[in-house]
Amino acid sequence: MLGSLSLSFALLGLFASRSLCGGATQAGWKALNATVGGRLYVGVPFSQPCFSRTSSNAVNVPNPAQCGEIQALYEDHLFRSSRFGGYQITQWETCQTTGDECLLDWTNTSNPTAFASPRQCLQGSVPSYYIDVTGPKDIQAAYAFSKNTKFPLVIKNSGHDYIGRSAGPGTLALWIALNTAFVPEGCSAEPQSAVTFGAGVQFQAVYDFARANNVTIVGGADPAVGATGGWSMGAGHGALSPAMGLGVDRVLQYKIVTPDGKFRTANKCQNPDLFFALRGGGGGTFGVVLEGTFIASPAVTMQVVLGTYENTPENTVKLVKALGKSATQMASDGWGGYITPPASAGVWANPLLDAEAAPKSAAGVVSAFESVGGAVSFFTMPTPSDFFDTFIAPNTDPVGRPQVQSSRLISDYLVANDDVLSALAGAMVSSDFSQILAVTPYAFKDFDKDGTSINPAWRTAVWHALSMNLWNFNSTRSERETAYQRLKTVWTPVRDLTPGSGAYFNEADTYEPDYTTSFWGQLRKTARYKKQV
Ligand SMILES: Cc1cc2nc3c(=O)[nH]c(=O)nc-3n(C[C@H](O)[C@H](O)[C@H](O)COP(=O)(O)OP(=O)(O)OC[C@H]3O[C@@H](n4cnc5c(N)ncnc54)[C@H](O)[C@@H]3O)c2cc1C
Ligand SMILES: *[C@@H]1O[C@H](CO)[C@@H](O)[C@H](O)[C@H]1NC(C)=O
Ligand SMILES: *[C@@H]1O[C@H](CO)[C@@H](O)[C@H](O)[C@H]1NC(C)=O
Ligand SMILES: *[C@@H]1O[C@H](CO)[C@@H](O)[C@H](O)[C@H]1NC(C)=O
Ligand SMILES: *[C@@H]1O[C@H](CO)[C@@H](O)[C@H](O)[C@H]1NC(C)=O
């Protein structure tokens, strides 16, 4: 079954021009290629087929058919993730220090100014080589190669990382298997229903599988994000998380090759410390995960509330303040959702309530939207997958653009505080894109107390709020720096007013201050840490 695994494994492009560094010789690359069955490839920037020059001296023959497809599907999540050289957040295809890039104009992908000569397609941060991984042996070979040559390794799955930790898209698909009586290997636990995903499986496939098999699987809001990769290891939220937990709460077991070349099983009973580290320590940190097994819960119906309004700065500030009043009660009742001013909408879903209870529980949302002249409607969806297909997938956050972001987890006791809400709403309306994600595991009390390494602030937060700034292929270096700086200016007051909270590091500021505390909290003070020192 591992034969269908296609997680990409990348050799970091930053060092491309020094490809002989630390002893990676042509013969060495050739030997590596032979060891991995000829599945070592050169990493090509996503938009290269549109360009006629790759560097000041090199001619590139454009491929009009391939270029046409790239132009048409430039912002398509699944298409981007199917190409090794494609990143969803496109500054990570570029080198931000030197300005080397190979980007199209995302406002008009036909604009020749972006790709016609004298513009060049430069490698940027796209890795120079990658291995199309089919099993643990490939990963062992890559770790050994990297150890011998000092050539750095990067693990890339769907290429969704906002802070640039991956470097090229994984190819699609693999396997998903339901086991109605799963017991983690080496444990004597009660058998339960669980689903195993090979690395590389993306959420659209997960939701289709859940519906077809009449089970509920917690996943994210993007059809192309990987289910076992960065999502689950970084926390992993979705609309079901308030009621049913985060990815780290739902995972029962990982299979992983660690950098010492060992293929290990990590669960509560085998390698428990590694399992703890993987449940919040982040993708790519501890090895290459080949598969993850997650709880599959019984099927549920979803009650949905959708609010719409006219997105003006004044309305958005008023709406955010009004929604703050009922945010904790909504989270306690198990609602999960997204407030997205650029889409002029907010949508929440609930697997715990019935159609009669839902409008009573969401009365605060109704009055908040009414206070800005908006409208609210209620729906019942037969499954979470139908909710995803109808309300989420058609409106996922944009990709194919350089986007920098900042975010903050907002705790229950702070969400109704006027100063916090003013700072937060101010940050949102001063950014190019903003969103409040009501996806924290607030009503899910059955979590493994010392079993995950995420910031404990996740457990008391009711909102994960974020904003982003954008740029384009032709923006100047100082405009790019300003995009980062503007975030810092507007998010500093939010951080200052929420001491002891934190940020979701999968969706965080690349320059997050005191990031260890922000991403993992005061881990030192936990019982688990004390036990070990
Ligand atoms: C448009 C968009 C929507 C998003 N929506 C959500 C959402 O609803 N909920 C949510 O929680 N997050 C969301 N995210 C954030 C997402 O969870 C992170 O970007 C996550 O890191 C993506 O993981 P990936 O494996 O798909 O992507 P990649 O960028 O390929 O990888 C991310 C990180 O994980 C590592 N990694 C990937 N696969 C493996 C593996 N098999 N073994 C070891 N390390 C691995 C990589 O090295 C990298 O460090 C969204 C991001 C985007 C761009
Ligand atoms: C690896 O070997 C295969 C099969 O011989 C070949 O097609 C491919 O180009 C080689 N990769 C590199 C980077 O040379
Ligand atoms: C996009 O650019 C092309 C080429 O310059 C131009 O012909 C076309 O009108 C532009 N489209 C839009 C919507 O601006
Ligand atoms: C789906 O699962 C639910 C909850 O377990 C159950 O009530 C229902 O009968 C199942 N439907 C089918 C078609 O099996
Ligand atoms: C960048 O390109 C866009 C789209 O073609 C154009 O509107 C804008 O003026 C350009 N900006 C600069 C700084 O050249």
Side-chain angles (χ1 to χ4, degrees):
M1 270 189 149
L2 276 177
S4 58
L5 175 63
S6 52
L7 166 75
S8 296
F9 203 102
L11 300 160
L12 186 64
L14 221 54
F15 296 89
S17 57
R18 286 186 275 138
S19 62
L20 297 182
C21 72
T25 60
Q26 284 307 323
W29 287 113
K30 219 168 161 184
L32 175 63
N33 197 7
T35 312
V36 300
R39 279 173 286 96
L40 177 74
Y41 301 105
V42 167
V44 176
F46 180 74
S47 298
Q48 182 170 300
C50 297
F51 285 73
S52 54
R53 280 153 49 102
T54 48
S55 74
S56 41
N57 300 317
V59 171
N60 181 53
V61 182
N63 182 319
Q66 285 177 14
C67 177
E69 194 180 20
I70 290 162
Q71 288 171 321
L73 298 173
Y74 197 69
E75 297 195 352
D76 185 287
H77 302 226
L78 285 162
F79 179 73
R80 257 187 186 278
S81 68
S82 75
R83 301 298 162 108
F84 179 77
Y87 293 73
Q88 307 283 331
I89 309 303
T90 52
Q91 72 267 28
W92 303 118
E93 287 175 20
T94 77
C95 176
Q96 295 181 88
T97 308
T98 59
D100 287 6
E101 64 178 29
C102 182
L103 298 179
L104 300 187
D105 175 357
W106 60 263
T107 65
N108 178 356
T109 56
S110 312
N111 178 4
T113 319
F115 55 83
S117 189
R119 282 224 167 238
Q120 305 163 36
C121 174
L122 299 174
Q123 191 78 12
S125 296
V126 177
S128 37
Y129 295 97
Y130 69 98
I131 298 167
D132 192 2
V133 171
T134 61
K137 286 201 170 63
D138 294 340
I139 300 165
Q140 288 159 343
Y143 273 128
F145 179 83
S146 177
K147 206 167 262 174
N148 291 335
T149 60
K150 308 274 186 295
F151 207 96
L153 289 173
V154 163
I155 306 160
K156 180 170 190 269
N157 181 15
S158 74
H160 273 71
D161 209 69
Y162 275 112
I163 55 178
R165 292 169 297 175
S166 56
T171 44
L172 278 197
L174 312 192
W175 74 92
I176 313 182
L178 183 65
N179 180 344
T180 52
F182 177 82
V183 179
E185 287 170 32
C187 294
S188 53
E190 202 56 26
Q192 63 180 315
S193 199
V195 61
T196 299
F197 309 118
V201 169
Q202 295 168 296
F203 281 123
Q204 186 65 59
V206 169
Y207 293 129
D208 292 347
F209 179 89
R211 178 169 37 209
N213 289 275
N214 197 35
V215 292
T216 301
I217 303 169
V218 173
D222 185 293
V225 164
T228 40
W231 180 84
S232 82
M233 288 181 266
H237 62 68
L240 286 168
S241 294
M244 302 176 79
L246 297 166
V248 291
D249 296 323
R250 311 272 306 176
V251 69
L252 300 171
Q253 177 171 294
Y254 287 112
K255 297 219 169 159
I256 178 171
V257 176
T258 44
D260 57 6
K262 294 220 168 80
F263 183 33
R264 300 172 192 269
T265 297
N267 60 35
K268 287 294 278 183
C269 313
Q270 288 188 60
N271 298 304
D273 283 357
L274 178 60
F275 190 49
F276 165 81
L278 292 170
R279 296 166 86 186
T285 318
F286 302 102
V288 180
V289 167
L290 284 142
E291 63 172 58
T293 301
F294 294 80
I295 297 167
S297 300
V300 289
T301 54
M302 293 285 265
Q303 305 306 321
V304 179
V305 52
L306 173 70
T308 54
Y309 76 110
E310 192 195 339
N311 172 27
T312 62
E314 195 186 17
N315 278 349
T316 296
V317 169
K318 205 167 158 192
L319 180 69
V320 167
K321 289 185 171 180
L323 288 170
K325 304 254 178 302
S326 67
T328 298
Q329 171 257 314
M330 286 286 284
S332 310
D333 288 357
W335 291 97
Y338 309 88
I339 304 153
T340 315
S344 305
V347 66
W348 289 255
N350 194 315
L352 304 179
L353 302 177
D354 62 23
E356 205 184 315
K360 290 182 195 133
S361 169
V365 166
V366 176
S367 63
F369 277 89
E370 282 174 352
S371 76
V372 292
V376 175
S377 358
F378 287 86
F379 307 85
T380 299
M381 301 308 284
T383 70
S385 305
D386 293 291
F387 165 71
F388 179 80
D389 287 350
T390 310
F391 293 94
I392 304 300
N395 305 304
T396 41
D397 295 349
V399 299
R401 309 166 181 191
Q403 306 181 79
V404 297
Q405 72 173 298
S406 206
S407 69
R408 196 75 180 159
L409 294 166
I410 311 290
S411 318
D412 47 12
Y413 71 99
L414 288 170
V415 77
N417 177 309
D418 270 339
D419 294 339
V420 173
L421 290 173
S422 295
L424 174 60
M428 292 174 69
V429 299
S430 313
S431 307
D432 298 337
F433 179 89
S434 63
Q435 190 168 50
I436 292 170
L437 299 94
V439 292
T440 56
Y442 195 74
F444 179 74
K445 295 300 174 204
D446 189 22
F447 58 91
D448 187 355
K449 298 273 181 306
D450 281 326
T452 72
S453 45
I454 56 166
N455 190 335
W458 272 103
R459 306 289 176 193
T460 52
V462 297
W463 280 354
H464 152 48
L466 59 83
S467 71
M468 302 193 212
N469 290 327
L470 317 186
W471 65 73
N472 205 345
F473 72 101
N474 61 348
S475 58
T476 61
R477 179 167 171 158
S478 102
E479 285 166 343
R480 294 173 193 208
E481 285 171 358
T482 304
Y484 280 106
Q485 190 59 46
R486 276 168 50 216
L487 283 175
K488 187 177 173 190
T489 306
V490 295
W491 281 87
T492 297
V494 182
R495 290 192 185 100
D496 290 349
L497 287 162
T498 54
S501 188
Y504 178 21
F505 81 119
N506 274 345
E507 297 177 319
D509 196 318
T510 315
Y511 298 101
E512 181 72 17
D514 187 14
Y515 68 91
T516 50
T517 307
S518 202
F519 297 162
W520 293 285
Q522 302 287 344
L523 266 188
R524 263 157 268 130
K525 294 184 187 143
T526 65
R528 185 186 178 87
Y529 184 86
K530 282 196 193 125
K531 219 164 46 197
Q532 290 176 359
V533 286

